[in-house]
Amino acid sequence: MKLAGQIRMITWKKIKGHLKTITEHKLLVMRHCFKIGLYRQGIMHDLSKYMPSELLMGFMYYDDGKSSPNNGERRDKGYSNAWMHHKGRNRHHFEYWTDYSLHPSEAKHPLQAVEMPRKYVAEMLMDRICASKNYNKESYTQHDPLSYFEHGKSHYLLHPQTEKELHGMLRMLDQKGEEYLFHFVKEYYLKGYKI
């Protein structure tokens, strides 16, 4: 397939590498979700990555796990079909939770962020922790997920309450560690207590 002047080839090495990367991530998120009581979400997490529209692009743009294949597709096309497919099927991504504003002239953007249900915020939190672990490998620290969030939040279209909750829990991880965070999420956050 020829894209933006380059020929992208799918090789056995890319297939094996991409499958290993997405499966390791999925299993890690599943274990983390189980620790906070999200069993169904843990099992179902990121299954769309195995669908042809996401999987083939993953094979094509795999770069030894250094960055998301979606970024490679974005560089070639200016957008990522695989990402649009993924975010539209996975409720743990805040991008799923956008809708048209009923009052676009009053809003900053014609689209508005919708507050996410807590069970999906909790899955998003586990996903972010595990992505940091997958990408940073042995150099991972509990500060990495917070740092990544703070680095990119200026361009996020995130509901203020969802942002407050996610940011607060990432700070909790940073300051008190994973065991404390998981206990808080399972015993307080997912049970509806105010934070």
Side-chain angles (χ1 to χ4, degrees):
M1 176 184 282
K2 188 171 183 171
L3 300 168
Q6 296 183 32
I7 296 175
R8 296 281 176 188
M9 298 186 61
I10 297 176
T11 65
W12 283 113
K13 181 180 177 189
K14 286 182 172 186
I15 291 171
K16 287 177 9 185
H18 183 63
L19 284 173
K20 180 176 187 273
T21 299
I22 63 174
T23 302
E24 284 177 354
H25 175 72
K26 187 201 175 342
L27 293 174
L28 188 58
V29 174
M30 185 175 72
R31 286 193 296 271
H32 281 54
C33 282
F34 284 6
K35 288 179 183 178
I36 60 170
L38 294 178
Y39 302 105
R40 183 180 186 283
Q41 285 172 251
I43 291 167
M44 301 302 290
H45 181 83
D46 276 356
L47 284 180
S48 70
K49 285 187 178 179
Y50 298 92
M51 295 174 76
S53 54
E54 293 182 39
L55 195 60
L56 293 174
M57 284 296 123
F59 293 158
M60 194 173 296
Y61 289 97
Y62 179 74
D63 68 349
D64 292 327
K66 295 175 189 146
S67 66
S68 169
N70 296 338
N71 288 335
E73 186 182 12
R74 273 187 201 96
R75 281 189 290 275
D76 273 358
K77 296 179 176 179
Y79 62 93
S80 172
N81 273 325
W83 169 246
M84 289 190 284
H85 183 272
H86 186 75
K87 73 179 175 82
R89 285 156 183 78
N90 292 276
R91 294 177 183 187
H92 65 277
H93 289 291
F94 66 84
E95 295 90 346
Y96 177 96
W97 299 93
T98 57
D99 198 0
Y100 290 105
S101 172
L102 287 176
H103 308 287
S105 61
E106 299 169 16
K108 184 177 175 184
H109 303 285
L111 291 176
Q112 65 180 2
V114 177
E115 185 175 352
M116 291 175 66
R118 285 186 172 197
K119 68 181 184 176
Y120 297 117
V121 176
E123 184 182 355
M124 175 171 57
L125 176 65
M126 299 300 110
D127 188 41
R128 286 172 173 269
I129 292 168
C130 294
S132 290
K133 288 179 176 183
N134 290 128
Y135 282 118
N136 297 329
K137 302 195 182 339
E138 296 81 26
S139 67
Y140 169 82
T141 71
Q142 64 194 34
H143 179 68
D144 292 342
L146 175 63
S147 178
Y148 182 80
F149 175 79
E150 289 178 341
H151 177 73
K153 75 177 184 175
S154 64
H155 68 271
Y156 293 162
L157 183 56
L158 196 57
H159 188 277
Q161 183 61 32
T162 301
E163 181 178 354
K164 177 183 171 188
E165 292 171 8
L166 178 61
H167 195 210
M169 289 186 287
L170 289 170
R171 283 195 324 269
M172 188 180 294
L173 170 67
D174 182 52
Q175 295 167 7
K176 300 191 177 196
E178 204 169 90
E179 189 175 323
Y180 184 94
L181 173 69
F182 286 5
H183 176 77
F184 171 81
V185 171
K186 184 176 184 178
E187 299 302 328
Y188 295 93
Y189 182 70
L190 288 172
K191 291 184 177 175
Y193 291 99
K194 284 190 174 190
I195 59 168

